[in-house]
Amino acid sequence: MMRRVSVFFTLFLISLTSVFAQKKDVQLEDIWKTYSFYARQVGGIRSLNNGVNYTSLDRTLEGYELVKYSYADAKFKEVLLKETELKSINNEVSFEGYEFNQNETKLMIVSDEEGIYRHSSKAFHYIYDINTKTLSSLSDKEKQMYATFSPKSSEVAYVKENNLSYKDLTSGNEIQITTDGKKNEIINGASDWVYEEELVLVKAFEWSPDGSKIAFYKFDESKVKEWNMEIYNDLYPEQVKFKYPKAGEENSKVEIYIYDLITKTTTKANIPIAYEYISRINWSNDSKHLAIQTLNRLQNHLAVHLINVIDNNTKLIYEEKDDRYVEIPTTIFLQSKNQFVITNEKNGYNHAYLYDINGKLINQITNGKWEVTEIYGIDEKTGTMYYQSTELSPITRNIYSIKLTGKDKKKLSTKQGVNNAEFSSTYNYFINTWSDANTPYLVTINDKQGKQLRVLEDNQPLVNRLKGFNLARKEFFKVKINNNELNAWMIKPVDFDSTKKHPLFMFVYGGDGKQEVMDEYDNFDAYWFQHLASKGYVVVCVDNRGTEGNGAEFRKTIYKQLGKYETEDQIEVAKHFSTLPYIDGSRIGIFGWSFGGYLSSSCILKGADVFKTAIAVAPVTNWRYYDNIYTERYMQTPQENPSGYDENSPINHVEKLKGNYLLIHGMADDNVHFQNAAEMINALVKANKQFTQFSYPNRNHGISGGNTRYHLINMMTNFILEKL
């Protein structure tokens, strides 16, 4: 009897194990319907002045709560403000964001935020007094942009209807600094479209450290040509018009002004040389000097001018020239010394240097054949800089500390993959967000030596859920193409059989300022590639010449021939993989978005005998149609380099098309205009080439919202299954 029970129990365990061992393939619904692979992070973190506590905006069933935590003490938790409390005062307030003033007596509440372009937004802002528990509107009726407390804590500056204003929180008075702001003509305190997109300059004003002055940009875009987009929401389409300077066309005229809150006067900054762009402004620690960073039109001459805001005298304190182009540096002016830290690529890799305020080089802080990718801040009490770099590998990111003297470098992160940090105000702690390609985000609190104190988020429910899917590991390696070792990853089918031939599906971005071959977690596309692998495809991604992470020479090879070498590399990648015994060389496809869409289009044209299928989403098809800051950085103007533009635009190679080509574009794309798709269609029709095309009305460059992304991926997947 005991034996029969034992046998029965054993059979039951075997049956139970087999049930739980059954795994399922990734379906598109899992990715874009149920978001089964979405990994949680920790956002909305603000370090308090004491450096001991931080705050976070936490979601609850009743709405958001602003919660105070301790970096070191896991048990400490204090709810500072609930969204329900705000709504009891004003029911129209939502709790979407917040900022403390300098002395942490007031909160600025962001409500009903509305996106404009990629980075810009506007919202209603409310001031909450922590002591009196009262709430007041920053400015009635119209939404404001970039509301920012002054260092004195008693004023807030903001942009409304293209004018810069500030509010005195003590008197309640609103003072309008500028009055000439006008849509599509004059912008004060905010940037124009191309500065936002390409220079990542959004808020275009800065308080002086003592709060007595505001330096701000004035954009005169009256002579910049307009771009019109149709939005199909009513009986007659709505026309959205904005200024967009294309390659070779006129830019906004940009100037810097300084407003004095005491004298109520505005002074135009004296910039003694001719310039095209003002890429950054920085105040000195004494509030008496303003550093203005300028670039010429070709972006190969960068200069930093130090302007005395009292007498408007100017001196040059930093200059950088390059035969090709100069990257916009990170610039940090110290608060306790007359010194600044600036990054450059003078030795071939992006590194940090320390200068005095007169422009004398004190010393190079970091050095090596690797890149500083971010500076998190400088602890001036100890003379320590905290930064992220590629020192261990171009496909990983690690956190380091180093003295401003360049000595005592210490690696603070401990896990292989990609690490990002948010430091406390005193630099005694940092919140580290880590992942690798096969592991979701792990968020921890660490001390300044890198020791892990506790875990904030381990995504364990997702980790457990992933065990129920058939997932292949993403493999990283290098491939030698055109005398360069290129970083690559590959995903093979879970049941991969090396004796069988598999179709190859290549994913590419390939543009400057980005890497796709990174050892980090991806919530979405990585699982689409897993879905394709479950259908028998081998999926590969290779970062070509022109991408970041490998130094200036590797990236700047593309100068004046944007797309030429990138395309050649991808074609040779396809040829290389076609020689492998497990790849079917007659079934090679490629997919890309934006610059990647440009490259996938170029590849199926210039590599017509190599690629069977290509999908291009939101591609540039002629560099003459794209914005001037981005395009001219690599290509000069069309007037100076016409052959570079024409020879490297897919639109001029359509007669070479042999394979299956799917062209997709959002009709409300403010970045890569639908014109690119329209002209590509015209050229293909003229050349009598058959292709497939799909448009998404009212969708921007990201082609998302509602069911859109699921529809898009479904369509692309079906195209791949049918055509590859």
Side-chain angles (χ1 to χ4, degrees):
M1 182 69 177
M2 288 296 292
R3 179 171 175 78
R4 289 179 62 190
V5 171
S6 177
V7 171
F8 174 80
F9 185 68
T10 300
L11 291 172
F12 172 77
L13 284 178
I14 293 172
S15 176
L16 190 65
T17 302
S18 66
V19 168
F20 280 98
Q22 289 179 356
K23 296 184 178 183
K24 68 172 187 174
D25 293 335
V26 174
Q27 303 302 317
L28 300 184
E29 292 82 357
D30 298 320
I31 311 170
W32 281 283
K33 281 288 190 181
T34 61
Y35 302 103
S36 299
F37 308 109
Y38 186 79
R40 294 192 301 267
Q41 300 187 59
V42 179
I45 299 293
R46 304 288 186 272
S47 176
L48 297 181
N49 292 338
N50 61 15
V52 175
N53 299 103
Y54 68 92
T55 57
S56 175
L57 198 58
D58 298 349
R59 184 191 289 272
T60 71
L61 293 176
E62 295 180 342
Y64 284 103
E65 292 180 348
L66 182 62
V67 184
K68 180 179 177 180
Y69 294 98
S70 166
Y71 283 103
D73 185 358
K75 296 180 180 179
F76 180 85
K77 178 179 178 180
E78 180 184 350
V79 177
L80 299 180
L81 181 62
K82 297 182 178 181
E83 188 171 42
T84 52
E85 295 176 62
L86 294 173
K87 287 189 174 295
S88 68
I89 303 172
N90 184 337
N91 192 50
E92 294 183 357
V93 178
S94 56
F95 207 165
E96 298 175 14
Y98 71 100
E99 293 291 343
F100 285 95
N101 64 350
Q102 184 62 36
N103 60 22
E104 297 177 350
T105 60
K106 292 180 173 61
L107 278 170
M108 183 145 50
I109 308 297
V110 179
S111 178
D112 195 18
E113 189 169 19
E114 177 185 343
I116 302 174
Y117 298 118
R118 188 190 295 266
H119 306 288
S120 55
S121 63
K122 57 184 178 179
F124 290 116
H125 295 81
Y126 298 87
I127 307 300
Y128 180 80
D129 190 299
I130 295 173
N131 296 321
T132 64
K133 300 186 184 303
T134 55
L135 185 73
S136 61
S137 175
L138 177 62
S139 184
D140 294 331
K141 297 180 181 179
E142 296 292 335
K143 291 182 178 180
Q144 310 90 40
M145 302 170 70
Y146 320 130
T148 308
F149 281 114
S150 79
K152 294 193 298 184
S153 294
S154 54
E155 297 91 11
V156 177
Y158 55 89
V159 175
K160 184 171 68 173
E161 295 183 323
N162 285 19
N163 280 310
L164 180 64
S165 300
Y166 75 93
K167 184 173 185 176
D168 186 321
L169 299 179
T170 303
S171 66
N173 293 332
E174 291 186 61
I175 295 89
Q176 190 167 328
I177 297 172
T178 66
T179 58
D180 58 345
K182 187 178 180 181
K183 184 177 180 180
N184 287 342
E185 290 191 17
I186 302 292
I187 312 172
N188 295 289
S191 64
D192 67 359
W193 185 94
V194 73
Y195 267 65
E196 174 181 336
E197 177 67 24
E198 305 301 353
L199 299 183
V200 198
L201 179 74
V202 186
K203 187 190 77 171
F205 67 85
E206 295 292 339
W207 284 98
S208 62
D210 66 2
S212 67
K213 301 174 183 68
I214 304 175
F216 65 94
Y217 285 67
K218 182 186 288 290
F219 288 82
D220 181 351
E221 57 177 358
S222 56
K223 294 185 179 179
V224 179
K225 292 179 180 177
E226 283 186 346
W227 178 255
N228 300 336
M229 293 190 307
E230 302 281 349
I231 305 297
Y232 299 93
N233 284 331
D234 212 334
L235 184 60
Y236 291 91
E238 173 192 356
Q239 280 202 337
V240 175
K241 300 180 180 181
F242 61 98
K243 297 302 184 84
Y244 185 106
K246 298 198 174 190
E249 297 296 314
E250 190 157 359
N251 267 305
S252 294
K253 304 301 180 187
V254 185
E255 297 172 329
I256 302 297
Y257 287 81
I258 298 100
Y259 176 79
D260 191 308
L261 275 71
I262 299 172
T263 64
K264 302 292 189 293
T265 57
T266 303
T267 305
K268 177 184 171 183
N270 172 34
I271 303 176
I273 67 169
Y275 62 89
E276 187 73 19
Y277 306 110
I278 299 176
S279 46
R280 298 289 185 269
I281 58 174
N282 300 88
W283 281 100
S284 65
N285 61 343
D286 60 8
S287 298
K288 295 179 181 178
H289 298 87
L290 183 71
I292 300 178
Q293 187 183 110
T294 63
L295 279 167
N296 62 335
R297 176 102 190 203
L298 295 183
Q299 301 170 62
N300 56 16
H301 179 197
L302 180 140
V304 180
H305 316 270
L306 191 68
I307 295 177
N308 186 314
V309 298
I310 307 301
D311 59 21
N312 220 0
N313 285 329
T314 307
K315 61 180 176 182
L316 181 69
I317 63 169
Y318 180 84
E319 191 172 28
E320 186 179 349
K321 296 181 179 180
D322 194 282
D323 292 337
R324 288 167 288 192
Y325 59 91
V326 176
E327 290 287 345
I328 304 299
T330 297
T331 310
I332 301 173
F333 278 72
L334 303 190
Q335 297 176 8
S336 60
K337 296 181 179 180
N338 291 321
Q339 297 174 350
F340 66 95
V341 172
I342 192 167
T343 59
N344 67 50
E345 298 178 322
K346 288 182 178 180
N347 71 351
Y349 295 85
N350 193 54
H351 283 291
Y353 298 77
L354 180 65
Y355 284 80
D356 71 20
I357 203 164
N358 293 311
K360 180 182 177 181
L361 175 64
I362 298 174
N363 61 267
Q364 183 172 345
I365 302 171
T366 60
N367 190 23
K369 292 184 177 181
W370 44 269
E371 308 268 324
V372 171
T373 47
E374 187 169 353
I375 297 178
Y376 294 113
I378 298 169
D379 181 357
E380 297 188 28
K381 290 182 179 179
T382 62
T384 305
M385 184 180 82
Y386 296 89
Y387 67 97
Q388 180 197 63
S389 84
T390 65
E391 183 168 354
L392 295 186
S393 168
I395 70 170
T396 66
R397 297 291 186 269
N398 282 284
I399 313 302
Y400 293 83
S401 65
I402 192 171
K403 297 294 185 182
L404 292 178
T405 59
K407 298 179 180 179
D408 299 331
K409 180 173 68 175
K410 180 178 177 62
K411 181 172 171 286
L412 304 181
S413 51
T414 59
K415 289 181 175 292
Q416 177 79 6
V418 171
N419 295 270
N420 288 286
E422 289 185 73
F423 279 83
S424 67
S425 57
T426 57
Y427 297 97
N428 288 324
Y429 306 96
F430 67 95
I431 295 175
N432 190 77
T433 301
W434 166 85
S435 73
D436 66 24
N438 301 291
T439 313
Y441 302 114
L442 173 68
V443 186
T444 60
I445 292 182
N446 304 64
D447 67 18
K448 64 181 178 181
Q449 302 301 321
K451 179 183 177 182
Q452 181 177 310
L453 302 180
R454 60 193 175 95
V455 174
L456 294 182
E457 177 61 70
D458 60 9
N459 276 293
Q460 195 57 48
L462 173 57
V463 172
N464 294 336
R465 192 159 59 247
L466 292 177
K467 295 176 183 178
F469 289 90
N470 289 314
L471 299 175
R473 290 189 66 82
K474 183 181 283 188
E475 304 170 16
F476 291 93
F477 56 98
K478 291 181 181 290
V479 56
K480 191 167 185 179
I481 300 294
N482 292 324
N483 297 317
N484 288 279
E485 284 199 338
L486 306 182
N487 295 313
W489 58 250
M490 177 185 289
I491 297 174
K492 298 174 183 174
V494 172
D495 59 352
F496 176 71
D497 184 344
S498 62
T499 65
K500 294 182 179 179
K501 294 283 189 179
H502 297 76
L504 178 69
F505 185 71
M506 293 169 54
F507 166 55
V508 65
Y509 178 76
D512 184 21
K514 199 173 190 298
Q515 292 171 257
E516 289 297 344
V517 182
M518 291 285 289
D519 190 8
E520 64 181 339
Y521 188 75
D522 178 359
N523 298 288
F524 298 107
D525 284 347
Y527 289 96
W528 181 42
F529 301 141
Q530 291 281 352
H531 175 75
L532 294 176
S534 74
K535 301 296 184 182
Y537 295 88
V538 171
V539 185
V540 165
C541 178
V542 178
D543 278 340
N544 47 251
R545 283 174 288 177
T547 53
E548 67 173 17
N550 291 286
E553 186 59 37
F554 182 86
R555 201 179 65 254
K556 294 181 180 181
T557 302
I558 63 175
Y559 189 61
K560 294 179 71 174
Q561 295 288 343
L562 188 60
K564 172 181 168 62
Y565 300 109
E566 301 94 313
T567 300
E568 290 177 0
D569 283 354
Q570 294 297 329
I571 292 172
E572 290 304 313
V573 164
K575 289 180 179 178
H576 165 77
F577 281 102
S578 70
T579 65
L580 301 182
Y582 56 84
I583 296 296
D584 184 346
S586 68
R587 297 175 66 193
I588 299 178
I590 188 167
F591 153 74
W593 197 307
S594 193
F595 195 97
Y598 159 75
L599 284 184
S600 62
S601 299
S602 293
C603 283
I604 201 168
L605 299 174
K606 292 184 177 181
D609 295 325
V610 178
F611 292 94
K612 179 181 180 181
T613 297
I615 301 175
V617 182
V620 172
T621 60
N622 188 329
W623 286 116
R624 297 171 187 270
Y625 299 154
Y626 200 53
D627 78 63
N628 54 11
I629 291 184
Y630 182 92
T631 310
E632 293 172 12
R633 179 186 303 148
Y634 312 111
M635 293 286 278
Q636 301 184 342
T637 66
Q639 295 82 0
E640 294 166 304
N641 182 25
S643 62
Y645 279 78
D646 295 337
E647 292 171 9
N648 296 294
S649 289
I651 204 167
N652 295 321
H653 296 275
V654 292
E655 74 284 350
K656 300 171 184 174
L657 180 65
K658 295 180 180 179
N660 310 299
Y661 181 54
L662 173 58
L663 173 62
I664 302 168
H665 218 117
M667 296 177 69
D669 192 333
D670 61 281
N671 185 354
V672 180
H673 299 157
F674 187 74
Q675 176 186 22
N676 287 272
E679 293 300 331
M680 187 70 167
I681 293 166
N682 283 337
L684 288 163
V685 171
K686 183 178 180 180
N688 197 31
K689 296 293 182 178
Q690 296 298 314
F691 61 99
T692 304
Q693 189 266 332
F694 196 90
S695 304
Y696 284 92
N698 304 347
R699 296 298 188 268
N700 62 16
H701 196 56
I703 312 183
S704 60
N707 196 54
T708 305
R709 184 58 65 88
Y710 178 64
H711 180 277
L712 168 64
I713 299 299
N714 246 314
M715 176 174 53
M716 293 197 298
T717 302
N718 291 336
F719 188 81
I720 294 165
L721 296 176
E722 180 184 347
K723 303 294 186 181
L724 189 59

